[in-house]
Amino acid sequence: MEKIMDNIPAYLDYQSQLYRLNQLGIKNNGTKQDINFIKTVGYYKLKEFAQPFRVDQEEYSNVKFEDVVRRYYQDKNMRMQVLHAIESIEVAVNSEIANHLGKRYGAFGYLDFSKWCNKKEYSKYSLEKEQYFFKSQIKRTLKKATMPDLNISRNLDQDGFPTIWLMVNALMFGNTSRFIKLMAPKNVRAIAAEFDCTGKELNSWLGCLNLVRNICSHNEDLLDIKFKEKPIPPSEYKNCLVVHQGLYTDRIAIALFIIRHFMNTINFKYRFNDIAKSVYKAANNSENQLKKLGFTSKRAVDRLRV
């Protein structure tokens, strides 16, 4: 695990792992409860969630083991709540893709990328590659599908591909994001209008939420995320987001307000109380800690609720 002199990772049992964390500055008592946490979650996962307390690459500022554990569970609660909201967004966006492309190009028109893709942005060759890759993915997904309507012949073309209305149920969020990115601008605008945003915003936001969804699904640290590609901030929530040197925050706050914007158009009754509570707990109700998460103030977090 930790590297020794000849750069080969050495084996450490759970007790030794806790001792090593003590050496690094993550203070613990080596209790059975501490050992159980190391055993069930993992040494390196714990270090990942201790990052906000890090002084340098391998040293922490006398942080308590219990504080890191608490942060892990706060993050886990938020991931579950955020994932629930993103799943609603995924279903709604896929539904709009099916509605728009089905109405405009017919039940199987989506299979011919040249009909609905952005031919000014993508060459004929690149679209053919995208089409081949997409069809291969759909075929693989359909082998595992259990929807009874896939057994009805009129719902399939001669090659066994389903109608657009069935196909969208086989899309992963990453596929959805890529699908819209390939579309001609007029198609993107039509779908974006259903979510009260521009085509540019829709592409930016779906890319952001795809990353967030992957983090939630793979048990990674969501609270401390920093987006390499900063998403466009929703205009109605700009005053809730920290601005540094003229640029809006790249922290979790911007993703949460993107989710809030989507849910305003999908289900305005959707409650964000649990997400807001998770934010407050993670920041210990501290204005300074909230700003590190990208919120301008406590009042900004309250905007998630309404």
Side-chain angles (χ1 to χ4, degrees):
M1 182 172 291
E2 295 297 325
K3 292 187 176 181
I4 54 178
M5 292 300 291
D6 58 1
N7 290 325
I8 298 175
Y11 168 77
L12 295 178
D13 61 22
Y14 297 127
Q15 187 73 52
S16 299
Q17 290 173 29
L18 283 170
Y19 178 72
R20 176 59 178 149
L21 290 175
N22 256 320
Q23 290 181 313
L24 295 175
I26 302 175
K27 301 304 179 183
N28 61 82
N29 297 318
T31 64
K32 287 184 178 180
Q33 187 176 6
D34 293 346
I35 291 173
N36 187 59
F37 184 79
I38 283 280
K39 185 176 181 179
T40 56
V41 176
Y43 173 89
Y44 285 111
K45 182 60 64 177
L46 181 64
K47 286 181 68 178
E48 177 185 349
F49 281 89
Q51 292 303 300
F53 310 103
R54 190 176 65 179
V55 176
D56 57 30
Q57 189 172 0
E58 283 285 25
E59 187 177 344
Y60 299 82
S61 180
N62 283 321
V63 58
K64 294 180 180 178
F65 185 86
E66 62 191 60
D67 290 337
V68 180
V69 171
R70 186 180 301 112
R71 189 172 183 82
Y72 171 82
Y73 283 111
Q74 288 168 345
D75 190 272
K76 182 176 181 178
N77 288 336
M78 176 176 283
R79 277 185 271 124
M80 293 172 64
Q81 295 149 11
V82 165
L83 187 58
H84 182 270
I86 290 178
E87 285 175 347
S88 297
I89 295 168
E90 181 179 5
V91 171
V93 173
N94 284 344
S95 180
E96 283 304 324
I97 289 174
N99 180 63
H100 176 73
L101 294 188
K103 180 180 179 180
R104 191 174 183 89
Y105 304 104
F108 301 104
Y110 76 95
L111 293 166
D112 184 355
F113 277 36
S114 66
K115 289 183 177 180
W116 54 270
C117 282
N118 188 346
K119 287 179 278 190
K120 290 184 179 179
E121 183 72 22
Y122 300 96
S123 68
K124 182 179 179 181
Y125 174 71
S126 62
L127 286 181
E128 287 176 350
K129 284 179 62 179
E130 292 282 354
Q131 181 175 298
Y132 175 80
F133 180 70
F134 172 76
K135 286 183 175 181
S136 298
Q137 282 192 315
I138 293 298
K139 280 287 190 181
R140 287 195 296 270
T141 303
L142 290 176
K143 289 180 180 179
K144 304 174 184 177
T146 58
M147 290 181 290
D149 286 297
L150 288 171
N151 297 318
I152 301 175
S153 59
R154 69 172 180 272
N155 291 331
L156 306 173
D157 75 350
Q158 60 184 6
D159 296 317
F161 288 101
T163 65
I164 180 73
W165 304 287
L166 279 172
M167 181 280 293
V168 292
N169 293 287
L171 289 179
M172 301 294 287
F173 201 98
N175 298 135
T176 299
S177 179
R178 183 60 181 164
F179 212 66
I180 289 181
K181 198 168 186 178
L182 289 169
M183 286 184 186
K186 62 181 179 181
N187 293 324
V188 181
R189 286 195 297 269
I191 294 171
E194 298 297 324
F195 301 101
D196 194 24
C197 64
T198 67
K200 188 175 181 180
E201 287 172 333
L202 182 62
N203 273 310
S204 172
W205 295 348
L206 291 180
C208 166
L209 296 189
N210 182 45
L211 175 59
V212 170
R213 189 188 189 284
N214 288 340
I215 286 172
C216 292
S217 299
H218 293 98
N219 195 34
E220 296 178 13
D221 184 354
L222 180 61
L223 279 169
D224 301 306
I225 190 174
K226 290 185 180 180
F227 296 102
K228 292 181 180 178
E229 292 186 21
K230 293 183 182 180
I232 300 170
S235 57
E236 69 269 39
Y237 297 118
K238 283 183 176 180
N239 64 341
C240 298
L241 298 168
V242 168
V243 179
H244 180 65
Q245 295 182 347
L247 299 174
Y248 285 95
T249 183
D250 57 357
R251 304 303 297 271
I252 185 59
I254 196 166
L256 295 181
F257 281 117
I258 287 171
I259 293 171
R260 174 76 264 188
H261 176 98
F262 270 113
M263 296 310 293
N264 287 343
T265 65
I266 296 167
N267 178 7
F268 68 92
K269 292 184 179 180
Y270 192 89
R271 298 178 66 83
F272 274 75
N273 286 346
D274 288 340
I275 291 178
K277 286 178 183 176
S278 292
V279 171
Y280 278 129
K281 287 181 180 179
N284 293 319
N285 286 318
S286 162
E287 292 272 359
N288 287 335
Q289 291 300 314
L290 287 174
K291 287 179 179 178
K292 289 181 179 180
L293 298 177
F295 295 94
T296 55
S297 64
K298 291 182 180 180
R299 184 175 295 180
V301 179
D302 289 336
R303 286 289 306 281
L304 285 172
R305 293 189 170 110
V306 295

